[in-house]
């Protein structure tokens, strides 16, 4: 078994949550925000942090390792497939956890970006985890709260970057 393709351990149940967002920015500018490391390193709420093994580059790339950590969580992973402008995949290593390794083990975070009419953008986020069955509904509830503001946050950040001319793209 390769250490980032986790298999479900006995006593856990597979959990997937998918959230869809419509943003009022172009897909190119939204993608730019979602692939930039500083989107996640500079905008975390203390005491949580995101770190990348290769901080010398601006954008995330396939094979690059990172960690999102703080109290009661450690999500250590590697960027999987990155399809420029439309898809990024983050696979969490065996040993990643929320609350405790005994309770919730995230194993994959996927994000899709799709251009819609009128230069709007659809963003789909899917987080996959292994969860103790008695925490399944609580984890769904927590994930719904956590991801509820993601679309508005990325939309605001992207618009701010466009105003400040931090994002450049061509049509």
């Amino acid at each position: 078994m390769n250490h980032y393709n986790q298999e479900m351990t006995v006593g856990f149940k597979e959990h997937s949550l998918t959230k869809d967002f419509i943003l009022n920015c172009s897909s190119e500018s939204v993608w730019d925000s979602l692939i930039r490391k500083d989107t996640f390193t500079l905008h975390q709420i203390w005491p949580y942090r995101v770190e990348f093994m290769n901080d010398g580059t601006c954008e995330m790339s396939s094979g690059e390792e990172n960690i999102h950590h703080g109290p009661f969580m450690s999500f250590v992973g590697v960027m999987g497939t990155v399809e420029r402008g439309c898809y990024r995949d983050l696979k969490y290593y065996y040993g990643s956890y929320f609350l405790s390794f005994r309770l919730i083990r995230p194993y994959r975070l996927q994000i899709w970006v799709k251009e819609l009419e009128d230069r709007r953008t659809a963003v789909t986020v899917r987080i996959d985890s292994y969860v103790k069955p008695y925490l399944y509904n609580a984890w769904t509830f927590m994930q719904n709260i956590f991801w509820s503001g993601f679309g508005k946050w990325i939309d605001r950040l992207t618009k701010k970057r466009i105003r400040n001319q931090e994002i450049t793209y061509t049509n």
Side-chain angles (χ1 to χ4, degrees):
M1 176 177 97
N2 139 354
H3 62 284
Y4 58 82
N5 287 329
Q6 294 186 50
E7 294 178 13
M8 188 166 53
T9 307
V10 173
F12 283 81
K13 181 177 179 179
E14 189 162 11
H15 183 281
S16 294
L17 182 87
T18 302
K19 298 293 275 186
D20 296 306
F21 307 96
I22 304 297
L23 284 65
N24 294 310
C25 298
S26 70
S27 62
E28 298 93 348
S29 59
V30 170
W31 175 259
D32 187 75
S33 284
L34 290 171
I35 201 66
R36 285 174 62 156
K37 294 176 186 177
D38 64 359
T39 296
F40 303 96
T41 58
L42 297 179
H43 300 282
Q44 290 300 307
I45 297 170
W46 185 89
Y48 297 94
R49 285 196 58 174
V50 174
E51 299 174 22
F52 292 89
M53 290 299 293
N54 180 4
D55 280 337
T57 60
C58 178
E59 293 186 355
M60 299 174 217
S61 60
S62 294
E64 184 171 34
E65 294 178 306
N66 64 66
I67 182 171
H68 187 178
H69 61 91
F72 305 108
M73 67 172 280
S74 179
F75 296 3
V76 182
V78 62
M79 292 301 296
T81 302
V82 175
E83 294 176 18
R84 182 112 191 109
C86 62
Y87 176 75
R88 54 166 268 216
D89 181 26
L90 175 56
K91 297 177 180 180
Y92 295 117
Y93 292 140
Y94 180 75
S96 294
Y97 69 89
F98 180 77
L99 295 179
S100 166
F101 186 65
R102 295 178 184 183
L103 302 175
I104 300 170
R105 301 175 182 181
Y107 68 89
R108 193 170 194 187
L109 172 64
Q110 299 174 86
I111 300 177
W112 292 266
V113 175
K114 181 180 177 186
E115 184 155 352
L116 302 174
E117 300 171 7
D118 302 327
R119 305 271 302 156
R120 295 182 319 143
T121 302
V123 174
T124 300
V125 175
R126 178 178 166 156
I127 180 78
D128 297 304
S129 308
Y130 299 127
V131 180
K132 285 293 187 176
Y134 58 87
L135 288 175
Y136 191 91
N137 291 334
W139 184 234
T140 300
F141 180 74
M142 287 186 279
Q143 288 293 290
N144 276 315
I145 289 172
F146 177 81
W147 290 104
S148 66
F150 184 77
K152 289 179 184 174
W153 174 67
I154 288 294
D155 197 55
R156 280 192 313 267
L157 180 63
T158 301
K159 287 176 181 172
K160 178 182 175 187
R161 286 180 167 161
I162 290 169
R163 281 192 309 273
N164 295 338
Q165 299 180 355
E166 295 176 35
I167 292 179
T168 57
Y169 58 88
T170 57
N171 292 335

